Amino acid sequence: MYKISAFSKLSGVSVKTLRFYDEIGLLAPAATDEHNGYRYYAEEQLLTVKRIQAFKSEGFTLETIRSFLEADGPTSAVQDALAAKQRELARVIDEARRQASEIGQRLDRARMAAESSPAFGFRAVEPVLAASIRDRVPRSQLCLLLNELTAYAEAHGQTADQLIVTQHEETEDGYCELEVAIPLSEAIPGNKRVQIGLLPGFASAASHVHVCNPYQEDCLAAERLSDWLASQGMPLATRFPMREIYLTSDRDMYGSMRLAELLIPLDRRI
């Protein structure tokens, strides 16, 4: 027989834990001195401790472990508990795999964004089916428009992996005629606020891929693109309508900056 301190060292289980096991009826001492209350444990109880530790390592609760220790062999209740734990672990594994896959995709997108460098060029812009909201608001309210449209699209089963902002005009009072849009994989219902249809394309547009904070007004992308066009012998009388495509989705933003492409139409719409 061993005093609780000696049995603790032998079993590798703390005195506090052994006392707790006794309190909940999981592992009672082999004997207790009725005069001083000292607990004594027998050698064969080491096997019980090892069984408890094994069940704990598999994720079973102490209540379930107690039922295992009380069972006379692999009863149907024991088998049910084991099967339930197996199903639970399978769900955990599936969820962990899904999370690992999503994180891997995030990592790939983060690497691509980090490796992207500012670029200028020309390209055609194809029409795209989109949900959109057009409103005359201060530039500071762009986030509110995007949030409103994103919530609407997601409520109809669409993901907002790409956001498009078209600035049709800018007035001296600080207001902008803004149109926010989300490309759709299929048509969804619209309403008086949200329009569903083709966002027009352009036969040719000047493109500037850059990194910026879209909610601040000090982005120099438009000036840089205009200067670049002038260097190509193509000065613009007006920059509007400008279209900016946020290539980094909200969930892939780390900090306040995101990868974006600014487009200035040069030719007729398509």
Side-chain angles (χ1 to χ4, degrees), residues 134-138 141 145 169 171-178:
R134 183 166 175 169
D135 203 352
R136 185 174 178 272
V137 296
Q141 292 186 12
L145 286 180
E169 64 174 332
T171 58
E172 294 181 356
D173 60 2
Y175 279 73
C176 302
E177 186 76 22
L178 296 177

Side-chain angles (χ1 to χ4, degrees), residues 96-115:
R97 285 174 175 165
R98 183 197 65 78
Q99 291 174 340
S101 175
E102 184 170 316
I103 289 173
Q105 294 173 20
R106 279 178 176 267
L107 182 59
D108 290 341
R109 293 192 296 267
R111 285 171 175 163
M112 290 177 61
E115 294 170 357

